[in-house]
Amino acid sequence: GVPEATPADLLARLGFLAEADRLKSVYRATTLVDGSRPENSGEHSWHLALYALVLGDQAGVGVNLARVIRMLLIHDLVEIDVGDVPIHSANGQAHASADTQAAEAAAAERLFGLLPGTQGAALRALWHEFEAAETPDAVFAKSLDRVQPVMANLMSGGGTWITYQVTAEQLESRVGAKVARGAPGIWHWVRAQTRVFFEVAP
Amino acid sequence: GVPEATPADLLARLGFLAEADRLKSVYRATTLVDGSRPENSGEHSWHLALYALVLGDQAGVGVNLARVIRMLLIHDLVEIDVGDVPIHSANGQAHASADTQAAEAAAAERLFGLLPGTQGAALRALWHEFEAAETPDAVFAKSLDRVQPVMANLMSGGGTWITYQVTAEQLESRVGAKVARGAPGIWHWVRAQTRVFFEVAP
Ligand SMILES: [Ca+2]
């Protein structure tokens, strides 16, 4: 039989999914691997979920991979209102600024508020958990969010490292530390590649 | 500690993820909800996974939602080699043709073959399961894959229904039947909207 859902519930959820479509029009500083154009945050979210699916064995003890994937699917929705704040922009200061965080929290209120109450609250809580980066699931999700642009930069000849004149040391502190925290086995290998790119000692 | 993975394993998996990036350059007949440009298959895959996350309670008994999401994340990767074959193109005949199916199976061999053996075999099997559309997970995944473009067409003023001169009856047979099979509660509501669009009796 037809599962129970009031028509209003379904209407609200389809409305949320239509609003989510706008994430495909939010462009990031990072390009596609082939350098042909900037990546948008919708396809970025897909790619990260695929990273989790393929690299899940690199997660630490106690990580729930299905939950990490759900987290990654919603982690950038707030950018529909706020836009993407590149990690290396404003000399690395804008990304985690209080202003950005407040704007993103307001966006989470609005967007997840489009959903029926219980479901909206659950997804908003999942987004806050990702942002806080304290639980094992969030730490692993963040590590993937940080390493995927590194791979794109490596393969496209430098990408945002060139745009924002990033040094090997800035990459270590802004990116490497977070990748290493959640996925040390991945960072071990990817870091070596970045050392070659930056022409610094391994 | 660092989880076990031979360097070659990690290299192969990162190579697969770089190759997967090309799905962001495969364009579909369907546009974004705002009609501004064609949708690509990478962002489409993200949107479908989000559909599953938000509409999971509409799935039938025995559906494993985490598995449906994994299925949707990989379901279109074969288009990297084959391109998207629109459901309404060639008067609805091209999509499920033997030629298309053979080309997609060969693409699955190549793409999942980039991964380490066990992992590649598991994801290739998951893709074949989606294509066969027989298990509850695959049936629900297919229903979402069919209904998301309907929503985009409804909101963008007709989209591929106009491009391919689709009738209400063709929509029912090519799309509606498959949505109704896996997600009757969703089709009940969305079908009513399509009847209004096509100006036919509810
Ligand atoms: Ca981001």
Side-chain angles (χ1 to χ4, degrees), chain A residues 28 44 75-76 79 84 95 145:
Chain A
R28 297 164 42 81
H44 166 70
H75 85 290
D76 266 346
E79 296 181 1
D84 180 55
H95 187 84
D145 190 29

Side-chain angles (χ1 to χ4, degrees), chain B residues 168-181:
Chain B
E169 292 64 38
Q170 288 169 338
L171 182 67
E172 286 287 344
S173 63
R174 293 176 192 163
V175 172
K178 287 193 174 112
V179 181
R181 188 173 168 221

Side-chain angles (χ1 to χ4, degrees), chain A residues 16-75:
Chain A
F16 169 85
L17 290 166
E19 180 72 5
D21 199 80
R22 295 173 58 200
L23 194 62
K24 302 168 187 170
S25 299
V26 173
Y27 285 92
R28 297 164 42 81
T30 311
T31 67
L32 302 190
V33 162
D34 68 7
S36 57
R37 63 164 174 81
E39 184 187 41
N40 74 59
S41 292
E43 63 200 3
H44 166 70
S45 299
W46 164 72
H47 208 184
L48 287 185
L50 193 65
Y51 263 69
L53 177 52
V54 167
L55 299 171
D57 71 333
Q58 300 292 304
V61 175
V63 169
N64 177 337
L65 201 62
R67 211 161 164 275
V68 168
I69 288 174
R70 292 202 297 273
M71 207 176 261
L72 289 169
L73 291 174
I74 63 153
H75 85 290

Side-chain angles (χ1 to χ4, degrees), chain B residues 59-161:
Chain B
V61 174
V63 169
N64 178 336
L65 201 63
R67 210 159 164 276
V68 167
I69 289 174
R70 293 203 296 275
M71 207 176 260
L72 290 169
L73 291 173
I74 63 153
H75 85 289
D76 267 345
L77 282 172
V78 294
E79 296 182 359
I80 289 170
D81 288 358
V82 180
D84 179 55
V85 182
I87 195 119
H88 297 298
S89 66
N91 201 27
Q93 299 303 302
H95 187 84
S97 75
D99 280 0
T100 300
Q101 289 184 343
E104 289 184 346
E109 282 300 312
R110 183 185 79 76
L111 285 158
F112 297 118
L114 298 173
L115 288 166
T118 314
Q119 184 169 44
L123 290 186
R124 190 167 50 239
L126 194 65
W127 176 80
H128 278 291
E129 180 181 334
F130 172 82
E131 281 298 303
E134 287 165 2
T135 65
D137 291 352
V139 168
F140 185 60
K142 280 271 179 192
S143 74
L144 298 179
D145 190 30
R146 288 292 182 278
V147 81
Q148 182 255 10
V150 172
M151 295 304 299
N153 281 353
L154 279 171
M155 283 177 285
S156 64
T160 57
W161 299 332

Side-chain angles (χ1 to χ4, degrees), chain A residues 1 7 10 16 21 29 40 47 50 56 58 64 68 72 78 100-101 138-139 146 156 171 173 190 193-194:
Chain A
L10 255 188
F16 169 85
D21 199 80
N40 74 59
H47 208 184
L50 193 65
Q58 300 292 304
N64 177 337
V68 168
L72 289 169
V78 294
T100 300
Q101 288 184 344
V139 167
R146 288 290 182 280
S156 64
L171 182 67
S173 64
V190 174
Q193 305 250 317
T194 68

Side-chain angles (χ1 to χ4, degrees), chain A residues 5 11 13 17 20-21 24 27 33 37 39-40 43 46-47 53-54 57-58 70 73 119 155 189, chain B residues 3 5 11 13 17-18 20-21 24 27 33 37 39-40 43 46-47 53-54 57-58 70 73 119 189:
Chain A
L11 182 58
R13 291 190 275 164
L17 290 166
D21 199 80
K24 302 168 187 170
Y27 285 92
V33 162
R37 63 164 174 81
E39 184 187 41
N40 74 59
E43 63 200 3
W46 164 72
H47 208 184
L53 177 52
V54 167
D57 71 333
Q58 300 292 304
R70 292 202 297 273
L73 291 174
Q119 184 169 45
M155 283 177 284
W189 189 89
Chain B
L11 182 57
R13 291 190 276 164
L17 290 166
D21 199 80
K24 302 168 188 171
Y27 286 92
V33 163
R37 64 164 174 81
E39 183 187 42
N40 73 58
E43 63 200 3
W46 164 72
H47 208 184
L53 177 51
V54 167
D57 70 334
Q58 300 292 306
R70 293 203 296 275
L73 291 173
Q119 184 169 44
W189 189 90

